[in-house]
Amino acid sequence: MATAEAARELLTDDDPPELRAQVAQVLAGIGYDRGDLRSLEQALAALTSASRALMAAGDPLGAASLLNDQAAIYIRLGDPVQALHLLGESRKVFEARGEDEPLAIVELAETHHLYARVPLHARVQAGRERDALLMGLDHALIAEKLYTRLDDRRERARVWETMGRLELRRGQRERAAQRLSAALEAQQALGDALGLARTSAALAELLAAQGRLDGALRLLAASIAVNREKGSHVGLAYNRRALAGIAPLVPEEARPLVSAVERELRAAEKLLGRRPLPPGLEVGSEG
């Protein structure tokens, strides 16, 4: 983040708006992964400024390429209404570009993946959760196909993680296990540390639901370690919430393992600072 902020400080009014947009996207990506409120607000401000600069320079397509980045930040901030509006605008722009344009394929893949993630964060009207989760899975399947076409294995694995979480929310534990295991294997091969942290946290939730508490705690410890290494505040906040859900289920003979995981989490929070989930995001199930 410090390096990206230093790059932003070097920008001048004479620099092309495309360069400003690239720096803003880097800041947004880091802010999204850190997940604390300050980082998210800074990322959103950078994206908004870059978008205005691109529009002023007569580059509406360049501005449209920032819509997904802004939507992702709003999802993290717990504002699915604004996120869905931006995703709709992005989808409209890039579907009109045609199926063979590389930029359009990349943007549409990201749009559909973000659509799939919304049910994991939004408060869904009573009785409509099943429909929302199924719709999320439909979007995830489209994203999976597009990332396969792009041969983007990293993003495809992250889509599998999203699908696993959606299936877990639906109560489809076997399907969730298949998707999450596939994601974990791919992320280990690719060295995707943050992807591994999220998938490990989801698998911990699944194992806890199956009563496999020892395995759940060990996966949670692995997720904490990566979130600590990468400086992800939001990851640690989700780890804290997951531990609060698992700990009461653990029998007395396994309490030392709970204590060990708690110590690791406290050490990570002491290093990075303990911060709450962004407003509105407490309902989510993402780690």
Side-chain angles (χ1 to χ4, degrees):
M1 180 67 87
T3 303
E5 288 174 343
R8 182 180 58 186
E9 293 301 316
L10 291 173
L11 293 170
T12 69
D13 292 340
D14 295 329
D15 286 320
E18 294 83 359
L19 180 60
R20 187 178 300 277
Q22 290 171 0
V23 173
Q25 285 180 305
V26 172
L27 283 166
I30 297 169
Y32 181 88
D33 283 334
R34 289 185 68 180
D36 61 288
L37 186 57
R38 180 175 176 272
S39 296
L40 293 172
E41 289 176 341
Q42 287 180 334
L44 192 57
L47 288 168
T48 302
S49 175
S51 179
R52 289 172 179 164
L54 288 166
M55 289 296 293
D59 186 4
L61 188 63
S65 70
L66 300 179
L67 289 170
N68 282 329
D69 301 273
Q70 294 175 74
I73 298 297
Y74 275 112
I75 290 173
R76 273 277 198 240
L77 287 170
D79 188 347
V81 174
Q82 183 63 17
L84 288 170
H85 168 71
L86 293 168
L87 292 174
E89 291 298 307
S90 179
R91 185 177 182 182
K92 182 167 59 178
V93 169
F94 290 104
E95 281 186 343
R97 303 293 297 183
E99 297 181 357
D100 296 325
E101 184 175 316
L103 176 61
I105 299 172
V106 170
E107 293 295 332
L108 286 170
E110 187 176 7
T111 297
H112 283 288
H113 189 196
L114 288 169
Y115 267 129
R117 298 175 81 87
V118 169
L120 297 174
H121 299 285
R123 286 184 172 87
V124 180
Q125 185 179 351
R128 299 294 304 274
E129 186 178 50
R130 179 179 179 276
D131 292 339
L133 294 171
L134 287 173
M135 189 175 297
L137 283 168
D138 288 341
H139 284 292
L141 285 169
I142 296 171
E144 179 189 24
K145 290 177 182 178
L146 291 172
Y147 281 127
T148 298
R149 182 177 174 185
L150 292 165
D151 194 28
D152 191 333
R153 293 175 293 165
R154 175 180 176 274
E155 290 303 320
R156 184 177 61 186
R158 292 191 172 194
V159 172
W160 290 341
E161 176 233 326
T162 297
M163 295 172 84
R165 291 183 181 277
L166 290 166
E167 294 288 13
L168 186 57
R169 286 279 290 274
R170 291 179 64 224
Q172 301 294 324
R173 294 177 183 174
E174 185 174 343
R175 291 179 182 178
Q178 291 171 351
R179 288 295 187 180
L180 292 172
S181 296
L184 193 74
E185 182 178 351
Q187 288 160 345
Q188 286 173 332
L190 294 167
D192 179 8
L194 284 171
L196 274 170
R198 287 194 284 264
T199 301
S200 297
L203 276 168
E205 183 181 342
L206 173 62
L207 291 178
Q210 294 174 331
R212 299 161 62 187
L213 301 174
D214 184 83
L217 287 167
R218 295 186 188 284
L219 277 172
L220 188 58
S223 179
I224 291 167
V226 177
N227 284 323
R228 171 178 173 163
E229 179 186 352
K230 296 300 180 182
S232 176
H233 296 93
V234 73
L236 290 178
Y238 276 117
N239 291 151
R240 168 63 63 186
R241 193 181 67 176
L243 182 59
I246 295 171
L249 306 175
V250 177
E252 188 62 34
E253 60 269 21
R255 298 304 299 178
L257 182 55
V258 175
S259 299
V261 175
E262 174 69 34
R263 285 194 300 272
E264 291 176 21
L265 181 54
R266 285 182 180 175
E269 290 171 337
K270 183 177 180 180
L271 178 67
L272 300 179
R274 182 172 177 178
R275 302 182 187 180
L277 291 170
L281 209 60
E282 292 86 354
V283 297
S285 64
E286 184 181 333

